[in-house]
Amino acid sequence: KEKEKEKDGSDTEDAYGADTDVDDENENKIERKESDSAPLTSSPTTKAATSSSTTTKAATTTTTRTTTTDLPELPNFLKGVHVFFYNMTDKERHTPWRYAIAYDGRADEYMQSDTTHVITNSSWDATFDDALKDNKALKFVKPSWLVECHKKQSKVPERPHFIKKR
């Protein structure tokens, strides 16, 4: 039985006999800047770590301290704006979606009860009338509204970007 176990590898650490141990000290290496007093934020990077007993490479995570003052504050002129993109491809909505989020608005995959703007390239259709029955404050605008908000770095009037009701 002993010889059978050795033969099929069932009694060994690794069925293939490979040495896959990595030194514990190299597995989760953390670098810290001692002068910073801000909380730690993790920034995963891959480094090659060579163990003295093996030549196995291991991924490590480098953690550095950053403060919120390291990054510039983005303006929040779209705070309270909740957009829903209607009948637009991922490519068409990519940039306007990013603008909405960047300036403290919210972009939803589905229409919500607190949606404030429907962004679309479509002409007016019956679904817009139905949506207005549920939320009379909804505004239907072209994506150009978000683009202009970005360019002017402020919430601009929607009127020039309205989808016209037939």
Side-chain angles (χ1 to χ4, degrees), residues 67-109:
T67 62
T68 54
T69 58
D70 293 338
L71 301 172
E73 271 304 307
L74 288 172
N76 65 350
F77 53 83
L78 292 179
K79 187 175 187 82
V81 173
H82 302 167
V83 299
F84 166 68
F85 290 87
Y86 175 74
N87 204 21
M88 292 178 66
T89 66
D90 287 343
K91 186 176 180 179
E92 290 173 322
R93 71 181 182 173
H94 177 79
T95 300
W97 182 291
R98 290 182 66 194
Y99 291 156
I101 300 301
Y103 303 120
D104 211 18
R106 190 184 78 205
D108 296 313
E109 289 285 336

Side-chain angles (χ1 to χ4, degrees), residues 25-63:
E25 61 193 64
N26 287 334
E27 189 170 344
N28 288 314
K29 190 176 191 177
I30 296 178
E31 295 175 12
R32 293 189 178 125
K33 294 179 188 175
E34 294 301 323
S35 61
D36 291 342
S37 60
L40 287 176
T41 57
S42 197
S43 171
T45 59
T46 302
K47 293 184 178 180
T50 305
S51 160
S52 59
S53 63
T54 68
T55 57
T56 303
K57 292 183 179 182
T60 62
T61 299
T62 301
T63 304

Side-chain angles (χ1 to χ4, degrees), residues 2 12 22 28 34 46 54-55 64 69 80 89 105 107 110 116 118 126 134:
E2 287 290 322
T12 63
V22 177
N28 288 314
E34 294 301 323
T46 302
T54 68
T55 57
T64 57
T69 58
T89 66
Y110 303 98
T116 60
V118 174
D134 294 333

Side-chain angles (χ1 to χ4, degrees), residues 4 11 21 39 69 88 111 114-115 147 149 151 154 164:
E4 277 182 38
D11 199 30
D21 291 341
T69 58
M88 292 178 66
M111 179 80 90
D114 61 347
T115 297
V147 172
C149 288
K151 285 180 181 175
S154 66
K164 308 273 190 264

